[in-house]
Amino acid sequence: MIFQDNLEFKGKEIPRIILGSAPFTAESYFGHRSRLYHLDLEINSDNVAKIINKSNEHGIKAINLVNNNNLIESYQKTNKDDIVVIGTVGKTNVDYVNPNYEKAKEVDWKNDIAMLSEFNCPIMLIDEFITDSYDWDLLEEILTEIKKQGSFAGLITAYPFKTTKKLIDSPILDLFDFYMVPINKLGYMMDTESFMKEEREKLANLLKAIDKKIIVNKILACGIQMPEEAFTFLKTLDYVDMVAIGIASEREAEFDFELLNNI
C-alpha cells in the first residue's frame, strides 16, 4: 500500500488517505456527471453514508468535510467514531471557470471553524478560492483562528505552480503546516499547459521548497484517469504525504481502495 502507515505530525497520528467530498457535493467541474452526482449523492445522505462506510471497511479512516448540510448529515449516519475529519474552511459555490474571489472572501468562515471544531478534526484547510485571492491579511486571520481551536492549519490551492511561488515569499509562510494541491499524470485542472518531465521536476522543487506536508487532490483527474495508472503515478511522487480521493459509489470504493491497497 502506498500510504500504509499514518502520518505522525507534532504528536498526532493522521490517516494519509482521505475520502474526498467533491462527488458528494456534485462539484460543477465533473461536467455532465455533476447532475448525476446531485441526484444520487448531493441530495441523498443515505447513499453517501453507504459510500463512507464502504470506504471505511476498506481501510479509509479520514474524510474531507465542508459545511454542507447533506454531507454533514451523511457523515453523522456513519460509523464516524472510526473516521477522522479533515475540514475545509470557507467553501463556497464559486464558479471554477470564472472565479469571483471577492465573493469567496465573504463566506462565514468563522461559522465553518466552529462547526468543524465539533468533530475529531486534526486539520482544517482554507478553501482554494480564499487562498488564491492572495489576501494575506485575511488568510492570516483565518489561519490564526484555526490554530486557536487546536487544529493544524493549512491551505488549498487550484494553482499549484502560481500559488506555491507566491506563498514561498508571502508573510503567511510560517502560519500553516499542510498544503493541498491538485496533481495528476495528465496535468488536468492544474495551471500548466503540459505536465511532462520538466514541469513535474519544477513542481516537485517548488513543493519541496515550501516545506509543508503535501496533500494531493484530483489524482484521478476528476474521473478521467484510470485508477491503476493514477495510483502508480502517485507512487512516484516522493514529496507527497497524503492524498484525497473522491468516490461516487460503493462499487468504486471497493475497487479503488482495494487497488490502492495492492500498489
Side-chain angles (χ1 to χ4, degrees):
M1 186 176 179
I2 298 175
F3 296 130
Q4 186 171 6
D5 300 319
N6 289 339
L7 173 69
E8 294 186 13
F9 185 74
K10 295 184 179 179
K12 289 188 179 182
E13 287 200 8
I14 304 169
R16 292 180 184 266
I17 303 174
I18 307 164
L19 180 63
S21 62
F24 302 152
T25 53
E27 295 300 319
S28 59
Y29 52 70
F30 287 113
H32 71 279
R33 283 175 294 145
S34 296
R35 177 60 177 167
L36 300 176
Y37 293 164
H38 169 74
L39 296 171
D40 293 342
L41 304 173
E42 189 181 19
I43 59 175
N44 192 323
S45 60
D46 287 340
N47 283 352
V48 173
K50 289 176 183 176
I51 296 170
I52 298 172
N53 282 331
K54 180 62 71 174
S55 300
N56 184 242
E57 288 173 13
H58 284 78
I60 307 308
K61 306 294 185 182
I63 185 172
N64 177 228
L65 287 190
V66 302
N67 196 354
N68 172 282
N69 289 337
N70 190 73
L71 181 57
I72 300 302
E73 181 181 337
S74 304
Y75 172 70
Q76 291 174 331
K77 290 180 177 180
T78 68
N79 307 319
K80 57 183 179 295
D81 292 341
D82 197 32
I83 304 173
V84 170
V85 170
I86 308 299
T88 295
V89 173
K91 175 69 177 173
T92 56
N93 292 322
V94 170
D95 182 4
Y96 264 80
V97 178
N98 297 297
N100 183 335
Y101 296 110
E102 294 307 311
K103 178 184 176 183
K105 291 192 293 182
E106 293 173 359
V107 69
D108 188 353
W109 54 266
K110 290 182 179 179
N111 182 57
D112 286 2
I113 293 174
M115 182 275 294
L116 290 166
S117 296
E118 297 176 6
F119 302 113
N120 176 13
C121 192
I123 305 169
M124 293 190 200
L125 306 164
I126 300 177
D127 186 69
E128 57 257 65
F129 293 118
I130 299 179
T131 298
D132 296 337
S133 72
Y134 311 127
D135 185 332
W136 306 129
D137 290 338
L138 176 61
L139 287 165
E140 179 178 355
E141 185 179 2
I142 302 174
L143 291 168
T144 300
E145 187 61 32
I146 289 171
K147 292 196 283 188
K148 281 183 183 177
Q149 298 301 318
S151 295
F152 298 125
L155 302 174
I156 307 173
T157 183
Y159 306 122
F161 287 92
K162 176 183 174 183
T163 297
T164 306
K165 289 177 188 175
K166 288 182 177 291
L167 284 170
I168 288 171
D169 296 320
S170 78
I172 66 166
L173 183 61
D174 296 331
L175 298 180
F176 65 100
D177 294 305
F178 289 83
Y179 187 41
M180 180 182 280
V181 295
I183 300 177
N184 54 76
K185 187 176 181 180
L186 304 178
Y188 185 68
M189 291 192 74
M190 297 173 61
D191 56 337
T192 180
E193 292 184 4
S194 62
F195 195 51
M196 303 307 289
K197 186 172 186 273
E198 182 180 348
E199 293 81 13
R200 291 173 188 174
E201 289 180 357
K202 182 179 178 182
L203 182 59
N205 290 334
L206 281 171
L207 293 176
K208 288 175 182 177
I210 203 172
D211 194 25
K212 305 297 176 183
K213 295 301 179 184
I214 302 300
I215 310 172
V216 165
N217 65 358
K218 299 183 177 64
I219 191 66
L220 296 172
C222 304
I224 296 173
Q225 183 85 69
M226 294 300 292
E228 185 170 9
E229 191 172 6
F231 297 155
T232 300
F233 175 68
L234 175 65
K235 196 173 182 179
T236 69
L237 307 179
D238 63 355
Y239 51 82
V240 176
D241 299 285
M242 302 167 68
V243 62
I245 300 171
I247 298 294
S249 70
E250 289 181 87
R251 183 189 61 78
E252 276 187 22
E254 191 164 357
F255 179 85
D256 287 14
F257 293 132
E258 190 68 32
L259 182 63
L260 190 61
N261 282 329
N262 291 306
I263 286 183

